């Protein structure tokens, strides 16, 4: 079975039909640039372009970088245009796509669902937390394989700051931090999350998962196993399609 997955990110809107048995893209993905400002209307146009590229007419799953409730309603927009807050994204995208059935989910939750089934989380039980390090920090919490959605652990307070402002990849770039310096901040952050949830494992996702050899060895004193994500660029697309499949009638 195939469902179309779309990953809406700060720089690009990427999508492709997803083969749900393989957990992989069924065709090469299409990417358009995210408009700036990334308003609901502008992003919906980009999504339409990506879906139309394949002439797709079936169900579509989309990620969004904020809290999304009920597969539909955007509740927060930390790093995107504030006009998203309280937007019914299911109705917006569904309308723009000519009435196709649409499910919208948090981006980290989508990546987590894909990793748990097809990547670094395969076969893991107990409490597992995927953290994505990018413009912000996204989180996906699993208990015996079941997702607890919208956990937003990137916004925990760390040393008086919003954690993602200190320990995201963007914070590393903006502050021109060395890998070691940044890894120490990530270590403090992981220690805090570990104190709250005592997970069996942390899965480290986002662009930095490809560079795990540059920083994981600097992280000490965490009891949970720390493993890099495996699906990398496509985790969001695959996970969005998987969530859409789980919510089809
Ligand atoms: C948002 C999360 C999102 C994360 C990664 C955070 O700022 O609040 O919802 O998952 O960024 O995009």
């Amino acid at each position: 079975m195939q469902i179309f997955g779309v990953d809406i990110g700060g720089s690009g809107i990427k999508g492709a039909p997803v083969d749900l048995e393989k957990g992989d893209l069924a065709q090469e993905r299409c990417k358009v640039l995210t408009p700036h400002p990334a308003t609901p209307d502008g992003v919906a146009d980009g999504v339409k372009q990506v879906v139309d590229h394949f002439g797709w007419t079936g169900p579509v799953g989309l990620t969004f970088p904020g809290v999304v409730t009920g597969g539909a309603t955007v509740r927060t927009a930390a790093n995107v245009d504030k006009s998203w807050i309280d937007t019914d994204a299911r109705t917006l995208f569904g309308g723009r796509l000519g009435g196709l059935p649409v499910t919208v989910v948090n981006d980290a939750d989508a990546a987590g669902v894909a990793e748990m089934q097809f990547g670094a989380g395969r076969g893991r039980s107990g409490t597992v937390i995927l953290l994505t390090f990018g413009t912000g920090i996204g989180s996906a919490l699993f208990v015996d394989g079941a997702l607890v959605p919208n956990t937003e652990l990137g916004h925990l307070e760390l040393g008086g700051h919003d954690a993602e402002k200190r320990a995201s990849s963007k914070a590393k770039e903006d502050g021109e931090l060395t890998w070691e310096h940044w890894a120490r901040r990530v270590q403090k952050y992981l220690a805090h999350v570990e104190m709250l949830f005592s997970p069996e494992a942390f899965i480290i996702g986002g662009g930095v998962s490809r560079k795990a050899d540059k920083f994981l060895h600097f992280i000490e004193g965490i009891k949970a196993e720390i493993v890099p994500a495996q699906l990398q660029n496509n985790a969001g697309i695959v996970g969005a399609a998987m969530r859409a499949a789980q919510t089809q009638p």
Side-chain angles (χ1 to χ4, degrees), residues 64-67 76 78-79 106-108 132 135-139 152 155 164:
F64 185 81
V67 170
T76 69
N79 295 305
N106 172 263
D107 56 358
T132 61
T135 308
I137 298 178
S139 62
E152 293 291 313
H155 297 295
E164 73 173 21

Side-chain angles (χ1 to χ4, degrees), residues 30-214:
C30 166
K31 176 177 171 176
V32 301
L33 294 180
T34 306
H36 286 286
T39 57
D41 264 347
V43 170
D45 286 342
V47 167
K48 181 170 167 47
Q49 246 178 291
V50 171
V51 175
D52 282 356
H53 176 81
F54 296 87
W56 184 261
T57 55
V60 178
L62 301 108
T63 70
F64 185 81
V67 170
V68 186
T69 52
T73 310
V74 171
R75 296 295 183 193
T76 69
N79 295 305
V80 279
D81 200 76
K82 300 294 175 237
S83 59
W84 277 100
I85 296 173
D86 293 334
T87 294
D88 179 345
R90 171 186 280 156
T91 302
L92 171 74
F93 294 132
R96 199 64 57 99
L97 296 174
L100 299 185
V102 159
T103 303
V104 189
V105 295
N106 172 263
D107 56 358
D109 284 346
V113 162
E115 284 294 331
M116 290 303 284
Q117 177 120 12
F118 297 108
R122 222 172 333 175
R124 287 182 188 272
S125 55
T127 303
V128 176
I129 297 178
L130 170 122
L131 297 166
T132 61
F133 293 83
T135 308
I137 298 178
S139 62
L141 168 66
F142 294 86
V143 183
D144 289 335
L147 172 70
V148 181
N150 292 313
T151 43
E152 293 291 313
L153 302 181
H155 297 295
L156 286 172
E157 188 184 310
L158 195 65
H161 300 270
D162 190 15
E164 73 173 21
K165 295 276 181 305
R166 302 283 294 163
S168 63
S169 305
K170 183 170 186 296
K172 176 181 182 302
E173 279 159 34
D174 290 352
E176 296 179 11
L177 307 181
T178 62
W179 283 106
E180 181 169 6
H181 187 165
W182 178 71
R184 298 278 174 240
R185 290 189 183 181
V186 174
Q187 176 181 311
K188 266 193 206 140
Y189 174 63
L190 293 180
H192 190 66
V193 178
E194 178 156 73
M195 183 267 290
L196 293 169
F197 295 100
S198 302
E200 268 73 33
F202 285 113
I203 301 175
I204 306 296
V208 291
S209 59
R210 267 169 302 178
K211 299 184 182 151
D213 57 322
K214 298 218 188 292

